[in-house]
Amino acid sequence: MRKRIGFLSFGHYRDVPGSRVPTAGDSLRMHVELAIAAEEAGLDGAWVRVHHFDESLATPYPLLAAMAARTSTLELGTGVVDMRYEQPLAMTELASATDLLSGGRLQLGVSRGSPERAVDGQERFGLGLAAGGSWSVEARDRADRLRRALRGEPVARSQRAVELGQGPDLPVEPHSPGLSDRLWWGAGNHASGLWAAEHGYHLLSSTLLTQDDGRPFHVQQADQVRAYLDAHAAAGHRIRPRTAVTRSAFPIMSDDDRRYFGLADERHDGIGRIEGGAVRGGPTYAGEPEHVARRLLADEAVQAADTVLFALPSQLGLDYNAHLFTSLAAVARELGWLED
C-alpha cells in the first residue's frame, strides 16, 4: 500500500568538540540541503520540530521557505508549532507567505505543545496565560482563530466599516487558498485525537503517548489512529483525513550505520514521566534492511497510518543523513510504500 514517508528533525546544534552541526546557521543551512537530498531520494516530506529557548529549530517559516525554493515536490511540515507561543494572526501571515512560496506544499502541524526549557517562555513572548486559564483550552482557541484567519475570514475593520458601524471587513493578507485544509493537530492521547477528528484536523500522532494502559506503544497508537478515523468519518467533514506517526529506524547498510546504530535495536518501549504523568514511547528499529522492514510491518500504528515520518539524527550531519534517506527509501520501496 502506498504510504507517504518523510523525515522529522529537531535540528539540534551544539558548539562542542567534534560536533558536525556546531551553530544555528549550520543547522539551518544543512536542513535546506537535507530537503534537497530527501526529494532526490524519493521521500515525500520534510518536517521540522519547533522548540523555544533551546539549541534546536525554533521559528520554522524562513527555513521552510528556503526549503521550498530548492525543491519542487516535497511536502514541508511542522511537527508541531506550539500554539502557546503563537499570536494567531501573525502566524497566519507567516504561514500563508510560506505556503504561497512553496506552491501549496505546507502541512501545518500545531498543538498545545510539549514541555519547554523555559517555564515562563510564553510570558516572555508576551503571550502568557490569563489567571485561572488552561493552556489546553487556550491553545485550541488560538488554533481555531488561526484556522478562521487562514480561511480568509475578516478579522479587522477598515475606516469605512468603523464609520458605518459595521463588523470586520478586512482579512489577513496574504491569503493562501487551501492552507486551512492542511492543518494537523499533534495528539498525545486518545482524547486529543478524537478532538482533532471532531474539529476537522489531520492527525499527527505524538512520539509519546500520555495515556499508558500497559500495552505496547504501537498497539495503543494504532487504536488512537483508528478511533480518530472513525470519529472523523462520523463528523462528516468534507476533507479527506490524513494520519501520521513517527518512528526511529536505521537500516544497517554501511560501516557508519553499524558504528552508530549497530547496537541500537530495542525490543521494549520507553517508559517515563512528563509533567507528573506516565508516558510511553516506541522503540528504535535498527538492523539489516530486512529486519527493519519486518519490524515496520509488525507495527500496527505504522500500518494504520498513511504517513510515516522518520526521526532524524541531524547532529550526524548532511552526508550521513543523506545516506540514511537512501536507505530508508530502499526499505520503503521493498514494502511497496514508494514507487520505483
Side-chain angles (χ1 to χ4, degrees), residues 41 250-254 257 289 321-332:
F250 302 99
I252 305 299
M253 301 179 72
S254 71
D257 296 331
N321 282 287
H323 157 75
L324 178 60
F325 294 156
T326 301
S327 301
L328 290 170
V331 170

